[in-house]
Amino acid sequence: MAEKSEWPLYELFLRGLGKSPGGAAFRVGADVATYEQVHHLALLWGGALLHTPATPPAAVGVLAAKGTIAYAGIVAGLYAGATVVPLHPDFPIARTRQMIAAAGVSALVVDERGRKVAAELRGEGLEVSVLAPGAERVDPGHALSRPRPVEPGGVAYVLYTSGSTGTPKGVPITHANLAHYFHFMDRRYDFTPRDVFSQTFDLTFDCAMFDLFCAWGAGATSVAVPSLAYRNLPRFLAEQGVTVWFSTPSAISMARRTGGLAPDMMPFLRWSLFAGEALKCADATDWQRAAPRSVLENLYGPTELTITITGHRWSERTSPGLCVNGLSPIGFVNDGHDHLLLDGQGQPASTEGELWITGPQTTPGYLDPRNDEGRFVERDGRVWYNTGDRVRRVANGELVYLGRADAQVQVQGWRVELAEIDQAVRGCAGIEDAVTIGAPTGDGSTALVVFYTGTPAQPSDLAVQLRRTLPPGIVPRRYHHLAEFPLNPNRKVDRAGLRDRAAKLLTGPAPSSGSRPG
């Protein structure tokens, strides 16, 4: 194996190809492809991308739902030596156009749905080449003979996080970032070609890269988990032979509601991994009892720190005693990184504060350097990433997540800038101003509640307008009209008071129409 500083991301797929050439690289329902088949398609499509009418693309967008075109398209972009930008065909056109422009995407790999979206984009004047393998012949004469070499500092992929200005923030992740991360994963886990991984995360989420490349590096199979599977999750996982589960903790609540967390219901799982949201002690305990032979881990990591940056290995004997406010530890920071806890004055704190991290998994910064301010900070001659998360160091030295120190919240795994929602709501007809609050629900998740001034509107009408600019997963479901915002003694919007009001709204029935008076 090459030294990690020279290890491109596609090397993981090649490693899986060597271990399991005839094995399934993925399954999405009846859509299945072996490592050899994906490799052949990636060489074919990678060559086609390099022979587009324009110059060879520096960045390739993959505009496709989970399936052969999306998975092979990701590998093809990497084989072509380009930066891969996963895009969701069902995201609003305006948002997709922003992402394409910011990342410098000049070629798209599309499925049937993505082809229609690409046509709309081109109709609006976006100049981009389109490779539609399911709808057109790809010239085999252009196929690559091998993947193109890349530089360690080259960007492997770009993912997007919510932006406070209303524009998504692009996060470039380099091959060097990923080399360190996956070498660390190699040492942490014992994945083999016999494993079958769940693939629960959307391809625009960084944890999807764990699903795919940890599986592919082991020569294992990645299986997409459809929403209907949660009606009887243990049965689906047993039928698919899943041995490695990875999802947000919200899946635990879903499994509980459908009777899927009875003791020993998932004895076939070897690993149970959770990330993207805070993991409750009670949820970890229940899942562990349902999957007693699996090793359960709570992982944590912003996109800017390459998938996951800390991990806690759950122990029924010791972990409950380390929980704070009912939340599991997030563990120790990955090898090779330093971290700081800073108090409200920006001074180092020993036990509790805002978490800052520096090390080889830290992205070089956002695509737009103007977004770096306050997040990527030079201190003591090194660049640190300010996570904005408050943590506490417990007795054994591990960290426990306490909550956000800024105006971000996590909703269904999305890290959402509340200001982005505010700006989107202000763009709705008749709205003067808006304040979005992230409030806890009864099942431990977070719901978005919008308070707005201006003309009262039907919640359904607001939701329809917001779907034009926001991904479906972060469109709020609760809207509350106010004649004016309450103010605190400093004459600022009383967000604490609005949080209390939001909590009360969430305990009552959702309004079916209209908006409730303030």
Side-chain angles (χ1 to χ4, degrees):
M1 184 183 299
E3 292 296 324
K4 66 181 179 182
S5 62
E6 301 174 354
W7 190 26
L9 179 58
Y10 60 67
E11 180 64 30
L12 283 166
F13 187 85
L14 294 177
R15 196 171 76 181
L17 175 68
K19 291 181 177 182
S20 187
F26 66 84
R27 289 200 300 269
V28 184
D31 187 3
V32 182
T34 67
Y35 280 85
E36 286 180 328
Q37 290 170 330
V38 175
H39 178 63
H40 170 76
L41 291 174
L43 291 173
L44 178 64
W45 300 350
L49 289 168
L50 295 175
H51 286 80
T52 57
T55 56
V60 172
V62 178
L63 187 60
K66 294 177 183 178
T68 295
I69 291 177
Y71 295 135
I74 289 172
V75 182
L78 294 172
Y79 277 12
T83 296
V84 173
V85 185
L87 300 166
H88 198 302
D90 293 329
F91 276 9
I93 288 287
R95 191 180 189 89
T96 299
R97 185 171 58 245
Q98 288 175 339
M99 293 175 175
I100 288 173
V105 170
S106 59
L108 295 173
V109 180
V110 300
D111 61 5
E112 183 58 31
R113 168 69 179 134
R115 190 159 69 101
K116 295 176 182 177
V117 174
E120 291 185 57
L121 291 167
R122 295 172 80 175
E124 294 181 1
L126 185 69
E127 295 185 7
V128 60
S129 299
V130 176
L131 178 64
E136 59 190 34
R137 180 179 177 273
V138 180
D139 188 349
H142 293 154
L144 298 170
S145 59
R146 64 180 66 84
R148 299 182 74 197
V150 295
E151 293 296 322
V155 178
Y157 60 75
V158 170
L159 298 176
Y160 284 84
T161 65
S162 179
S164 60
T165 64
T167 301
K169 294 184 295 189
V171 183
I173 304 297
T174 70
H175 289 278
N177 293 149
L178 292 156
H180 185 279
Y181 179 74
F182 284 111
H183 274 277
F184 182 72
M185 295 299 102
D186 281 346
R187 297 192 300 273
R188 189 176 186 92
Y189 302 114
D190 63 349
F191 303 141
T192 77
R194 295 185 298 277
D195 279 313
V196 177
F197 285 63
S198 67
Q199 213 272 285
T200 66
F201 296 96
D202 187 87
L203 298 179
T204 59
F205 274 78
D206 54 352
C207 287
M209 299 303 158
F210 180 105
D211 292 340
L212 296 179
F213 287 96
C214 275
W216 290 345
T221 302
S222 184
V223 173
V225 181
S227 57
L228 290 178
Y230 292 94
R231 294 181 178 179
N232 191 332
L233 189 59
R235 182 174 68 185
F236 175 84
L237 299 182
E239 290 173 348
Q240 295 293 326
V242 172
T243 59
V244 181
W245 174 264
F246 189 26
S247 74
T248 63
S250 295
I252 302 176
S253 297
M254 295 173 67
R256 182 185 291 112
R257 289 196 298 269
T258 54
L261 284 188
D264 207 30
M265 288 199 76
M266 296 179 284
F268 41 81
L269 290 181
R270 296 199 317 114
W271 291 94
S272 296
L273 310 174
F274 297 95
E277 298 169 330
L279 175 65
K280 293 185 291 185
C281 176
D283 284 348
T285 299
D286 286 353
W287 184 278
Q288 184 73 88
R289 290 172 181 168
R293 295 173 181 80
S294 73
V295 178
L296 189 153
E297 288 197 341
N298 184 31
L299 306 176
Y300 158 88
T303 302
E304 293 86 345
L305 293 172
T306 310
I307 308 179
T308 62
I309 193 66
T310 74
H312 168 75
R313 189 158 292 182
W314 183 264
S315 163
E316 289 190 285
R317 182 177 59 85
T318 60
S319 294
L322 299 173
C323 292
V324 177
N325 299 330
L327 300 180
S328 164
I330 59 174
F332 295 106
V333 174
N334 291 359
D335 290 351
H337 295 79
D338 290 333
H339 70 282
L340 294 170
L341 306 186
L342 299 183
D343 63 19
Q345 287 69 50
Q347 298 302 310
S350 59
T351 59
E352 186 173 319
E354 194 170 55
L355 178 62
W356 290 34
I357 294 179
T358 188
Q361 287 178 216
T362 308
T363 179
Y366 296 113
L367 286 181
D368 185 346
R370 290 174 296 182
N371 291 322
D372 289 354
E373 185 176 358
R375 285 291 177 215
F376 294 92
V377 181
E378 186 170 347
R379 184 185 179 110
D380 302 326
R382 292 183 290 177
V383 175
W384 297 75
Y385 176 69
N386 172 13
T387 69
D389 289 325
R390 291 177 52 249
V391 300
R392 180 179 300 171
R393 197 186 315 279
V394 291
N396 70 344
E398 292 189 79
L399 304 175
V400 181
Y401 174 81
L402 299 177
R404 294 294 299 172
D406 56 17
Q408 285 188 354
V409 296
Q410 286 184 321
V411 180
Q412 300 180 22
W414 288 86
R415 189 175 288 258
V416 181
E417 294 268 8
L418 295 177
E420 177 178 10
I421 310 296
D422 296 346
Q423 180 147 326
V425 176
R426 293 184 193 113
C428 294
I431 303 300
E432 294 177 357
D433 202 356
V435 174
T436 307
I437 299 295
T441 64
D443 63 2
S445 60
T446 298
L448 298 175
V449 179
V450 174
F451 295 93
Y452 68 95
T453 60
T455 304
Q458 294 275 3
S460 58
D461 290 343
L462 292 174
V464 167
Q465 294 180 72
L466 292 176
R467 289 191 187 100
R468 298 171 187 163
T469 56
L470 298 177
I474 63 172
V475 173
R477 298 182 181 179
R478 292 276 188 165
Y479 303 87
H480 190 80
H481 177 261
L482 298 174
E484 58 185 18
F485 292 129
L487 303 179
N488 62 22
N490 294 325
R491 306 301 296 168
K492 297 181 179 180
V493 173
D494 183 6
R495 291 182 178 271
L498 290 178
R499 278 194 291 272
D500 291 341
R501 189 177 298 195
K504 293 176 182 177
L505 288 172
L506 292 174
T507 62
S512 58
S513 64
S515 58
R516 300 169 63 179

